[in-house]
Amino acid sequence: MQITEFIIAFGHRNVRATHRTTLEITKDEELSVRGDCIVAVAADKGFFDLKPKFKELLRRENAKLTIVIDAGGVTDIVKAFGSPRLILSHPTDMVVRKSGYICSRTLAINADKAACNLSRTLVEKLKNPKQKVEITLTVEA
């Protein structure tokens, strides 16, 4: 079974994408330079906006999540995993982690990339506040 969610967000002048273990998408509109894992802001969806069936599938043992980040035709793909332990309840932040750490902000764990591993061409696009960012989340279990 497979379910896809689509999120629209935007770039921000303070996107650094240098964090070594996580990447984050947020509904918040502002970003300080300290938020080095954040790759997109002003997202139109958070955990509460995702389909219940999507979250249910993501919480299955061995669920696989594919995250496609597209900014102006420049894309990168991150592969990660769901878990029965996912909480999926933070009101604004969705974090993808290389580790197995789980909290209310965790969308997926054991990812093959963090913010620092994203294409630098994509990151340059993500630094433009007018840049629309299309994020596709596909869970398979």
Side-chain angles (χ1 to χ4, degrees), residues 89-136:
S89 66
H90 196 276
T92 57
D93 304 343
M94 290 193 280
V95 179
V96 177
R97 303 178 187 281
K98 280 183 136 179
S99 72
Y101 178 77
I102 291 176
C103 71
S104 67
R105 301 168 68 224
T106 306
L107 171 65
I109 57 174
N110 300 325
D112 64 352
K113 293 180 185 174
C116 72
N117 305 117
L118 293 177
S119 149
R120 293 296 104 180
T121 306
L122 175 63
V123 172
E124 282 307 308
K125 292 259 187 195
L126 297 173
K127 290 180 180 186
N128 178 354
K130 293 185 173 149
Q131 179 64 61
K132 182 172 148 183
V133 183
E134 296 174 357
I135 300 150
T136 306

Side-chain angles (χ1 to χ4, degrees), residues 35-131:
D36 60 352
C37 68
I38 298 173
V39 300
V41 301
D44 67 350
K45 289 183 183 174
F47 288 127
F48 297 122
D49 307 300
L50 299 177
K51 296 178 200 116
K53 288 277 187 204
F54 177 90
K55 293 189 274 191
E56 182 183 313
L57 203 55
L58 191 58
R59 285 186 177 120
R60 286 196 186 164
E61 197 67 52
N62 298 318
K64 294 177 184 169
L65 182 66
T66 302
I67 304 142
V68 179
I69 303 168
D70 182 314
V74 177
T75 64
D76 206 339
I77 298 171
V78 180
K79 302 273 189 175
F81 293 89
S83 167
R85 298 177 306 132
L86 288 175
I87 302 161
L88 308 174
S89 66
H90 196 276
T92 57
D93 304 343
M94 290 193 280
V95 179
V96 177
R97 303 178 187 281
K98 280 183 136 179
S99 72
Y101 178 77
I102 291 176
C103 71
S104 67
R105 301 168 68 224
T106 306
L107 171 65
I109 57 174
N110 300 325
D112 64 352
K113 293 180 185 174
C116 72
N117 305 117
L118 293 177
S119 149
R120 293 296 104 180
T121 306
L122 175 63
V123 172
E124 282 307 308
K125 292 259 187 195
L126 297 173
K127 290 180 180 186
N128 178 354
K130 293 185 173 149
Q131 179 64 61

